[in-house]
């Protein structure tokens, strides 16, 4: 048998078989990664920016009743304050006033996802896309849906 630095080829292969999984495990843990996907409710870092949300409200404001504008701002404050349930109640009022407002559907989608209701969030976000031509809102909804799909992936794989 051929000796390589005092270790036979067979022993070297055996050592590599043991070390490879340990190395992978170490790299995952050291990198802050988890072996199990997170099933936490979706918390989009880009969507909780008050300036971005205000900009979305401005971009989509044409034709929006003042009451709906006020309700959107109130729901946003509730949502950013961590009270998604109250935010949803407020958005349901806005939806009764303006049933075709894409931003209302988008805000509802974000709140539903924060509550872990991913399927409902996806449907609401898709409805928002069908109602808007605003480029910034379309971009944000697409980002949201992509993140939502990644968040739902572990759920689908587990079933």
């Amino acid at each position: 048998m051929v000796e390589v630095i005092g270790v036979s080829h067979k022993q070297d292969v055996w050592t590599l078989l043991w070390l490879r999984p340990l190395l992978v495990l170490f790299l995952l843990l050291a990198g802050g990664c988890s072996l199990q996907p997170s099933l936490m409710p979706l918390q989009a870092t880009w969507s909780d920016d008050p300036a971005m949300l205000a900009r979305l409200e401005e971009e989509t404001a044409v034709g929006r009743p003042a009451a709906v504008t006020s309700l959107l701002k109130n729901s946003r404050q509730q949502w950013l304050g961590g009270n998604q349930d109250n935010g949803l109640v407020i958005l349901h009022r806005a939806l009764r006033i303006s049933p075709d407002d894409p931003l209302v559907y988008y805000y509802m989608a974000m709140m539903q996802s924060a509550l872990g209701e991913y399927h409902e969030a996806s449907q609401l976000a898709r409805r928002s896309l069908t109602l808007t031509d605003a480029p910034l809102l379309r971009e944000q909804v697409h980002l949201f849906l992509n993140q939502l799909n990644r968040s739902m992936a572990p759920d689908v794989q587990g079933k």
Side-chain angles (χ1 to χ4, degrees):
M1 196 165 276
V2 177
E3 294 282 329
V4 178
I5 310 176
V7 178
S8 72
H9 178 67
K10 190 174 188 180
Q11 289 172 330
D12 191 33
V13 170
W14 182 252
T15 303
L16 283 176
L17 289 175
W18 269 94
L19 287 178
R20 182 173 281 150
L22 291 175
L23 180 61
V24 170
L25 179 62
F26 173 76
L27 290 174
L28 285 172
L29 294 175
C33 297
S34 171
L35 293 175
Q36 188 171 17
S38 172
L39 298 177
M40 296 291 291
L42 179 66
Q43 296 293 327
T45 56
W46 46 266
S47 65
D48 62 3
D49 177 14
M52 174 58 76
L53 296 174
R55 192 168 154 212
L56 284 172
E57 290 169 16
E58 286 176 27
E59 183 180 301
T60 60
V62 175
R64 178 178 293 136
V68 174
T69 299
S70 177
L71 291 169
L72 281 169
K73 287 180 182 177
N74 288 339
S75 70
R76 174 171 36 103
Q77 290 169 346
Q78 291 294 315
W79 180 58
L80 293 174
N83 197 343
Q84 290 85 12
D85 290 326
N86 279 352
L88 279 172
V89 169
I90 292 168
L91 287 174
H92 280 288
R93 279 187 261 159
L95 197 58
R96 284 194 298 272
I97 297 168
S98 186
D100 292 330
D101 191 315
L103 194 58
V104 174
Y105 285 99
Y106 176 59
Y107 277 18
M108 290 177 82
M110 288 191 299
M111 289 184 203
Q112 288 289 355
S113 71
L115 295 170
E117 299 293 333
Y118 300 132
H119 181 70
E120 180 72 18
S122 177
Q123 288 179 330
L124 290 164
R126 290 178 199 289
R127 178 71 176 139
S128 177
L129 276 178
T130 65
L131 295 172
T132 190
D133 291 327
L136 183 60
L137 180 57
R138 292 187 70 77
E139 177 186 332
Q140 292 302 304
V141 173
H142 282 294
L143 287 171
F144 174 80
L145 284 169
N146 287 338
Q147 188 172 12
L148 188 62
N149 287 335
R150 284 192 305 272
S151 182
M152 289 172 40
D155 218 18
V156 172
Q157 292 172 358
K159 289 184 181 178

